[in-house]
Amino acid sequence: MPKAIKRLIGLSCLLIVISMITFGAMNFLGDPLFNILGPVAADVDNPDSVKIIEEAKAQYHLDKSLPERWARWAWDFVQGDFGVQFSSSGQPPVSNLIKERLPRTLELMAVAQLIAVALAIPWSVLAASRANKRTDKVSTITAFAFVSIPSFAMAVILFYIFSIRLDVLPDVYNATDSFWGFTHDHRLIQLILPGFTLGLGAAAGYQRLLRTDLITTLQEDFILMARSKGVSKRRVLYYHALRPSLFSLITLLAINIGYMIGGSLVVEQYFRIPGIASAVVEATLREDFPVVLAVVMIISCGFMVFNYLADFLYSVIDPRIRTEKSGQRRKITSMGM
Amino acid sequence: MSHETETPSTLLKLDDYRVGFRTERGLAKAVDGVSYELNSGKTLAIVGESGSGKTVLNRGIMGLLGSNINESGSVKFQGEELVNTNRQKFWGKKMAMIFQDPMTSLNPVMKVGKQVSEPLRLHQGMSRKEARHRTVELFTLVGIPEPSQRFDEYPHQLSGGMRQRVMISIALAIEPDLLIADEPTTSLDVTVQKYILDLLVEVQKESNMAMTIITHDLGVARGRADEILVMYGGRVMEHAPAETLFNEMAHPYTSALLSSIPKLDDPKHTRLTPIEGFPPDIVDGPDGCKFAARCQYAQENCLSELPDTTVKGDHSYACFYPIGTDEGAKAFASNAERGHTAAGLKIRAKEEVI
Amino acid sequence: MTDENHSPAEPSEMEVSEEHEHDEVSATEAGLEESGFAEKKKIGVGFWIAASWLVLITFLAIFAPVLPFKEPNQNFIVFEQKENPITGKIQDRPVQPPYSPNGDHWLGTDQDARDILSRSIHGARISLAVGALTALFGIVVGGALGMIAGYFKGILDKVISAIFLVSLSFPGLILAILVVALVDRSLITISITIGILAVAPIGRLARAQTLSFAEREFVLAAETLGAKKSRILVRELLPNVLIPMSTLAMLVIAIAIVAEGTLAFLGLSVQGSSTWGKLILTGSGLQTLESSPWVAFAPMGFLFLTVASFNYMSDRLRDFFDVREIFVTRD
Ligand SMILES: Nc1ncnc2c1ncn2[C@@H]1O[C@H](COP(=O)(O)OP(=O)(O)OP(=O)(O)O)[C@@H](O)[C@H]1O
Ligand SMILES: [Mg+2]
């Protein structure tokens, strides 16, 4: 399939460019030597310091040109070596940090996306089946409201309602608790509040697209045909109409999975989840560039992978895509936040 | 399938049935007082130009028009009044419809076999295996080659003719008492058209169901339908047993329609005479006969008065100046004399006067 | 919107089947509605309600210093006659803030007894300024790049489109954090950082619009009359590109306000002044939230109304002008 390969190459190029920009920006805007050594880095008159500086430069290849350093970093990266953290207490490899924190963020995002999709589908079906009736209008306004609540505000609202007022959901996240289980001492339950914080807004976004697509599908002749075959309304909605209406949802899902990291920055911070997003905030403040770079690359890779998967999903959903290109298309653009 | 005896029983009876769409401009009277009866085991052909209300009439009978309509008059199906009731209980069991366009009427993301076996599974309690078996049987019956292979294909992999056959299989799977076929052959080429029409009629005769075939084409109706109903502007212009209609054609519209349409059995290069003008506005239409503006026979009263339906045995028509009567001949002669009709239409040079 | 130069990698712009004019049509009973007659497009009352709110809040924000609001940073400690537990004397003692909403402080005060209404209005100054600057930057830079790409085509178009593509694939918020942490936390830096992220979406729209208008008669006519290219760009094309671009810009303002709030919530926004995000953060701790929820919820109300208004107006306008780009607002 040459088209798929072409796309793969394109995506890889994109990744390379993104890494170059991030790498360049951090070396331009920041001062890696200072970040490694602290004040010593500026102490160029002291011969002891100079020696340390020279050593550090050699160790981190800071004496090389920027392109060469990028190439070294890239070569290591594809081999799974993300470099070492800049920190005062030794230099633990970045991959340790990632290994420890990425799963937590992935769990959070999985819970959030599950909530979002599980809410969005019945919600859209309900709204589309009553298009322009009262129910639909109310649901459209609700969706609008949810989309307009930023995740930090949503976090505060949900925390206030469910944790403080109703006191039904835990607000502490404990990374050492086991995941699977249904008490407050399991991370699954601890992730409900953060999950809804991310999931409600996402659900509203999905609903807006899916409802629109469903309404379009519901006007097709084959829906009427299915009804005239004596297929119940419910079955027509979920079995006949839903699948051909899933395109935009999948597109948005792919974009969102990549970018939900943005939302999880706030959520991890607010609910004290030591995930990868909070790692990146901490690392940025400490100017711990290898960590930032690694996280940016992981997010971008995730983004690319999901976009690639989405292409594949389209053809699962619609057999026509496998053989021909279907008519007019529409675009979904995101600003990446 | 009807389990009734051979004695013809009235399956469907319409009385002054009307359907109006509520639009911004007002009520669009797509069906404007239609009455007829259809017996089990009989085939009715509904003929008319595009926009004459054939599809709306039949979707209306089926109850497939949604809620944005005004419905009045009476439609009795097996003695039960349907107008303004929910017809869901008949769908997939007693009524079935073959939709006009096989390209858009099949679910593009569902295997065609599944689409046929769905009503079997839902309403006839068949297991998956039984349903598949029956579907393949139906595919064979309607002449789909390699039926068991086709079962797992998607609509876009089939040609137009094959898709239409799939549509027919769906209708047959339902084994309805009333089958409505909405222009089942428009998109197909001539040989396939014939095959499919004959197939439908054959199955209909065998299973003693009642069938309505909708078509533009009087030729299609001839020889296949027991009765023909000619529609225009949502109204019945003429209704008669098939042969009567061709032999004693009374309505100028029927005649104009016949000469405007290429017939399946025509020799090549037959001259066609299109009907001049356009169908009437159905929201704010003419007061008199809907066809008056385009009729070669039109007189002043045609423009202001609605003609009553004249019933002669099983032949009925709605016209003041029917063909083959003195009034008709006089009306045409007077129009020919002044060179135009009462509506101002120029009279064509003359051959089609009987 | 057409986009001929589909480059192989287009992650944030995948293609989905075209959206039709569906909203006017009701599709009840699972598709039992035939496509009805499309109503005339109306902008709706909601649009004007949203617009009124924005006019009001902008007016208040601009004139906050001269309007009779309380001093935003003043501590309005209330004293009451109480017995001093140590000396046993009755004396004036401060009441522990935050104070709940009352006749004096309509939206209550925060922990330092500062008036929340006044602080929210003053916070609007920063939040709206960030939004406006971001949109301005996005329109000027994105519009210029997009129009140049769309009008001159060729290599210029390839390069600019590639830049847009990379920018759209970037995890934007992380970039914003990085820049803000490394450069400074001034209003301008934050606005430009978020503005850079807005360049690509606005630019794409401008490019697509330019492409489609460049083929129209009035442009071709001007060309044959020998008008200069720059003149055509400004006189003929700009007016046509501006409307769709500004509908998108309203959305960009909403996104920018949210982004700024997010930065503020992470402790990374404009130094010294209080923005909505910061005000919400002040009230979002467990204790404050439990005892005095108004501290967080009052500024949140302002933020929500403003973001929702921009979102809604943009949505209505895009519908009205038929701008068919789906734009994702969520994180
Ligand atoms: N949903 C609707 N709302 C308003 N008017 C409609 C609607 N559906 C059909 N009509 C109108 O009703 C009239 C009859 O349409 P109908 O589809 O029944 O014609 P037809 O005889 O089936 O034509 P064709 O041969 O082209 O299929 C037309 O004027 C059409 O515009
Ligand atoms: Mg029709």
Side-chain angles (χ1 to χ4, degrees):
Chain A
M1 235 189 160
K3 203 186 154 209
I5 290 171
K6 221 173 124 194
R7 195 160 155 79
L8 205 58
I9 294 172
L11 290 177
S12 317
C13 291
L14 209 52
L15 274 179
I16 292 174
V17 175
I18 287 174
S19 75
M20 284 191 200
I21 292 176
T22 318
F23 196 87
M26 287 184 316
N27 281 285
F28 255 122
L29 299 175
D31 178 358
L33 197 61
F34 180 82
N35 301 126
I36 299 166
L37 299 177
V40 181
D43 194 13
V44 285
D45 300 328
N46 185 338
D48 289 347
S49 308
V50 171
K51 203 171 144 252
I52 297 175
I53 289 172
E54 291 308 319
E55 272 172 17
K57 273 191 174 172
Q59 187 187 346
Y60 294 102
H61 310 293
L62 290 179
D63 45 355
K64 307 280 180 355
S65 69
L66 203 56
E68 190 186 333
R69 274 156 58 201
W70 175 82
R72 280 174 186 282
W73 167 86
W75 180 242
D76 289 344
F77 183 83
V78 292
Q79 292 174 318
D81 176 3
F82 301 166
V84 295
Q85 298 176 39
F86 292 170
S87 78
S88 41
S89 54
Q91 274 111 22
V94 172
S95 49
N96 281 9
L97 182 81
I98 305 281
K99 251 183 245 152
E100 181 190 326
R101 295 198 162 199
L102 186 58
R104 296 178 194 144
T105 299
L106 290 181
E107 280 166 16
L108 168 63
M109 305 233 285
V111 171
Q113 287 293 355
L114 270 175
I115 290 173
V117 173
L119 285 178
I121 287 180
W123 185 6
S124 317
V125 169
L126 180 77
S129 69
R130 319 232 162 119
N132 289 351
K133 299 262 167 75
R134 251 285 247 317
T135 325
D136 180 42
K137 287 192 170 139
V138 171
S139 107
T140 301
I141 292 172
T142 315
F144 233 112
F146 279 179
V147 168
S148 304
I149 300 177
S151 38
F152 60 89
M154 187 68 94
V156 174
I157 295 173
L158 293 182
F159 177 61
Y160 180 71
I161 297 177
F162 292 100
S163 205
I164 295 183
R165 277 291 101 102
L166 301 177
D167 196 17
V168 286
L169 287 171
D171 57 73
V172 281
Y173 180 87
N174 195 341
T176 54
D177 284 346
S178 66
F179 180 79
W180 196 252
F182 298 99
T183 72
H184 285 200
D185 293 328
H186 293 98
R187 280 182 293 140
L188 179 63
I189 302 300
Q190 292 163 3
L191 280 177
I192 289 182
L193 265 187
F196 266 97
T197 301
L198 289 175
L200 276 183
Y206 298 163
Q207 192 267 354
R208 276 161 50 93
L209 278 189
L210 184 53
R211 166 190 172 273
T212 302
D213 287 2
L214 267 170
I215 289 177
T216 311
T217 306
L218 286 177
Q219 281 160 26
E220 303 266 357
D221 258 0
F222 69 83
I223 296 296
L224 210 55
M225 174 73 203
R227 287 293 273 148
S228 82
K229 284 196 295 190
V231 181
S232 72
K233 192 169 160 177
R234 204 188 157 79
R235 190 175 151 96
V236 164
L237 284 168
Y238 283 95
Y239 197 73
H240 288 259
L242 188 57
R243 196 167 133 189
S245 312
L246 284 178
F247 281 77
S248 313
L249 180 69
I250 289 176
T251 309
L252 186 53
L253 210 67
I255 292 178
N256 241 11
I257 288 175
Y259 282 139
M260 226 189 215
I261 292 266
S264 47
L265 277 176
V266 167
V267 172
E268 288 185 9
Q269 200 84 350
Y270 190 67
F271 291 101
R272 306 228 159 68
I273 301 172
I276 201 160
S278 50
V280 94
V281 178
E282 291 158 21
T284 315
L285 295 179
R286 276 191 283 117
E287 303 195 5
D288 188 350
F289 297 137
V291 175
V292 179
L293 194 54
V295 174
V296 167
M297 288 314 289
I298 285 170
I299 294 173
S300 304
C301 288
F303 182 72
M304 307 283 158
V305 167
F306 280 110
N307 277 278
Y308 202 70
L309 277 182
D311 269 10
F312 167 74
L313 264 184
Y314 292 146
S315 64
V316 171
I317 283 179
D318 192 340
R320 284 170 298 183
I321 306 253
R322 290 172 213 159
T323 46
E324 68 196 70
K325 256 185 117 173
S326 53
Q328 279 184 297
R329 310 290 181 113
R330 91 173 163 201
K331 285 182 206 153
I332 296 188
T333 312
S334 157
M335 213 170 107
M337 37 180 49
Chain B
M1 204 171 307
S2 176
H3 305 287
E4 331 219 329
T5 49
E6 293 88 276
T7 50
S9 56
T10 304
L11 182 76
L12 183 69
K13 185 172 190 307
L14 272 71
D15 192 12
D16 195 31
Y17 182 53
R18 290 164 195 270
V19 179
F21 291 99
R22 294 191 281 257
T23 72
E24 273 206 326
R25 288 176 55 218
L27 203 63
K29 298 181 267 313
V31 176
D32 201 9
V34 170
S35 311
Y36 66 83
E37 286 182 25
L38 181 59
N39 293 342
S40 296
K42 295 289 179 202
T43 300
L44 170 76
I46 300 184
V47 206
E49 272 178 294
S50 194
S52 52
K54 307 179 295 290
T55 300
V56 174
L57 169 65
N58 284 283
R59 287 197 180 182
I61 293 170
M62 293 270 299
L64 286 171
L65 289 174
S67 57
N68 198 26
I69 57 160
N70 285 356
E71 216 184 0
S72 66
S74 154
V75 174
K76 283 212 165 89
F77 180 71
Q78 297 178 333
E80 197 173 325
E81 180 58 54
L82 300 186
V83 168
N84 289 319
T85 65
N86 194 328
R87 280 87 138 176
Q88 274 189 43
K89 59 178 173 194
F90 296 112
W91 294 345
K93 292 170 198 145
K94 303 203 156 164
M95 293 176 170
M97 186 157 181
I98 298 171
F99 280 55
Q100 193 160 353
D101 186 355
M103 301 299 175
T104 58
S105 309
L106 288 172
N107 189 334
V109 303
M110 205 168 156
K111 291 174 179 166
V112 289
K114 277 217 154 160
Q115 303 193 43
V116 179
S117 55
E118 193 175 26
L120 296 172
R121 306 254 294 131
L122 289 176
H123 300 303
Q124 295 168 28
M126 289 193 191
S127 70
R128 182 164 305 184
K129 231 173 116 192
E130 287 166 340
R132 187 180 178 109
H133 184 76
R134 175 77 183 130
T135 303
V136 172
E137 247 174 47
L138 286 166
F139 278 180
T140 319
L141 178 72
V142 299
I144 295 179
E146 297 166 337
S148 49
Q149 226 161 298
R150 293 281 184 246
F151 188 99
D152 292 312
E153 286 184 359
Y154 289 94
H156 74 274
Q157 293 168 291
L158 306 182
S159 68
M162 287 303 141
R163 282 189 231 191
Q164 194 54 282
R165 287 173 215 222
V166 172
M167 295 286 293
I168 292 170
S169 319
I170 295 176
L172 297 184
I174 292 168
E175 300 182 8
D177 296 337
L178 171 65
L179 173 63
I180 296 169
D182 192 349
E183 306 198 27
T185 57
T186 352
S187 53
L188 309 178
D189 67 54
V190 178
T191 39
V192 185
Q193 277 192 32
K194 272 192 165 169
Y195 176 88
I196 290 203
L197 287 167
D198 293 339
L199 173 79
L200 271 175
V201 173
E202 189 184 316
V203 175
Q204 177 260 331
K205 288 269 163 333
E206 251 168 47
S207 55
N208 194 38
M209 66 186 175
M211 180 161 77
T212 301
I213 293 184
I214 302 173
T215 171
H216 283 128
D217 186 343
L218 271 170
V220 162
R222 189 168 207 170
R224 296 189 179 87
D226 301 300
E227 287 176 35
I228 298 178
L229 186 136
V230 181
M231 267 185 94
Y232 183 76
R235 297 184 65 85
V236 178
M237 298 283 115
E238 187 163 10
H239 179 188
E243 282 319 304
T244 315
L245 189 90
F246 283 101
N247 299 333
E248 297 162 30
M249 190 168 290
H251 204 290
Y253 177 65
T254 313
S255 149
L257 194 63
L258 189 62
S259 44
S260 72
I261 289 166
K263 284 159 279 295
L264 283 182
D265 321 304
D266 262 352
K268 271 187 186 159
H269 309 304
T270 308
R271 268 284 253 348
L272 298 173
T273 335
I275 313 179
E276 266 176 64
F278 300 98
D281 184 358
I282 52 173
V283 177
D284 191 13
D287 290 332
C289 173
K290 307 267 179 192
F291 188 57
R294 303 165 70 191
C295 180
Q296 300 276 322
Y297 292 70
Q299 302 298 309
E300 274 67 20
N301 61 335
C302 297
L303 298 175
S304 53
E305 288 169 53
L306 212 52
D308 283 329
T309 306
T310 312
V311 184
K312 284 188 179 156
D314 46 12
H315 186 177
S316 61
Y317 50 86
C319 184
F320 291 122
Y321 305 102
I323 299 170
T325 62
D326 288 349
E327 292 91 346
K330 260 190 233 149
F332 188 82
S334 84
N335 282 347
E337 201 170 306
R338 56 180 165 173
H340 59 84
T341 71
L345 186 76
K346 281 241 306 266
I347 295 295
R348 272 196 303 259
K350 221 30 310 343
E351 71 257 45
E352 86 242 62
V353 178
I354 310 96
Chain C
M1 230 156 295
T2 49
D3 192 347
E4 299 89 326
N5 300 332
H6 281 286
S7 73
E10 282 171 305
S12 33
E13 177 241 45
M14 282 174 312
E15 306 165 324
V16 202
S17 52
E18 171 75 353
E19 146 185 56
H20 300 289
E21 238 116 287
H22 30 68
D23 279 295
E24 288 79 27
V25 183
S26 91
T28 15
E29 322 221 331
L32 283 199
E33 298 286 326
E34 286 280 285
S35 58
F37 283 73
E39 287 168 40
K40 267 238 217 74
K41 271 191 185 162
K42 276 180 288 191
I43 200 97
V45 271
F47 179 85
W48 297 111
I49 296 175
S52 311
W53 166 257
L54 290 181
V55 168
L56 177 69
I57 189 73
T58 314
F59 173 83
L60 291 179
I62 292 174
F63 296 105
V66 295
L67 289 172
F69 287 114
K70 300 210 159 53
E71 177 55 41
N73 292 319
Q74 193 181 331
N75 310 97
F76 297 94
I77 302 285
V78 175
F79 294 89
E80 70 180 358
Q81 294 265 310
K82 236 175 140 184
E83 192 182 340
N84 187 325
I86 301 162
T87 60
K89 275 196 210 138
I90 302 282
Q91 51 181 208
D92 271 351
R93 290 181 53 74
V95 180
Q96 180 70 32
Y99 308 135
S100 58
N102 55 49
D104 216 12
H105 304 285
W106 291 356
L107 298 177
T109 75
D110 65 6
Q111 299 94 316
D112 297 329
R114 291 175 297 191
D115 183 63
I116 288 182
L117 174 62
S118 160
R119 288 175 72 72
S120 297
I121 300 287
H122 279 84
R125 290 168 70 86
I126 309 287
S127 294
L128 288 177
V130 170
L133 282 174
T134 301
L136 195 68
F137 187 88
I139 286 189
V140 172
V141 180
L145 287 177
M147 286 180 69
I148 289 172
Y151 188 62
F152 293 103
K153 307 201 180 103
I155 183 81
L156 217 49
D157 182 24
K158 291 250 158 62
V159 172
I160 293 176
S161 296
I163 294 175
F164 288 167
L165 186 62
V166 171
S167 158
L168 284 172
S169 327
F170 219 87
L173 199 55
I174 294 189
L175 176 83
I177 291 175
L178 201 62
V179 173
V180 171
L182 293 179
V183 184
D184 64 30
R185 297 192 202 161
S186 67
L187 181 68
I188 294 292
T189 310
I190 289 176
S191 306
I192 291 182
T193 309
I194 305 175
I196 289 174
L197 296 171
V199 163
I202 295 184
R204 269 194 179 209
L205 183 68
R207 175 181 172 275
Q209 289 285 325
T210 311
L211 273 176
S212 71
F213 277 106
E215 305 295 319
R216 299 272 182 93
E217 296 82 33
F218 61 90
V219 177
L220 296 179
E223 271 172 356
T224 36
L225 287 177
K228 274 202 287 205
K229 292 208 156 168
S230 56
R231 193 187 159 81
I232 291 177
L233 265 175
V234 175
R235 279 290 175 83
E236 312 290 344
L237 291 172
L238 186 62
N240 290 300
V241 177
L242 217 49
I243 286 181
M245 226 161 54
S246 38
T247 61
L248 199 56
M250 306 207 81
L251 194 54
V252 166
I253 298 179
I255 296 175
I257 292 176
V258 170
E260 187 280 324
T262 306
L263 288 177
F265 205 77
L266 297 172
L268 285 171
S269 189
V270 185
Q271 250 160 347
S273 22
S274 50
T275 72
W276 284 332
K278 247 190 219 176
L279 294 177
I280 297 172
L281 181 65
T282 322
S284 68
L286 174 62
Q287 261 162 27
T288 319
L289 209 49
E290 193 163 15
S291 63
S292 36
W294 60 87
V295 180
F297 286 116
M300 197 186 289
F302 281 88
L303 174 80
F304 170 72
L305 286 178
T306 308
V307 170
S309 297
F310 275 119
N311 266 344
Y312 188 72
M313 285 177 71
S314 169
D315 193 75
R316 293 305 310 143
L317 283 176
R318 271 177 295 155
D319 194 46
F320 194 72
F321 290 114
D322 226 13
V323 181
R324 284 275 178 76
E325 189 130 340
I326 309 289
F327 201 86
V328 181
T329 35
R330 284 303 300 186
D331 341 274

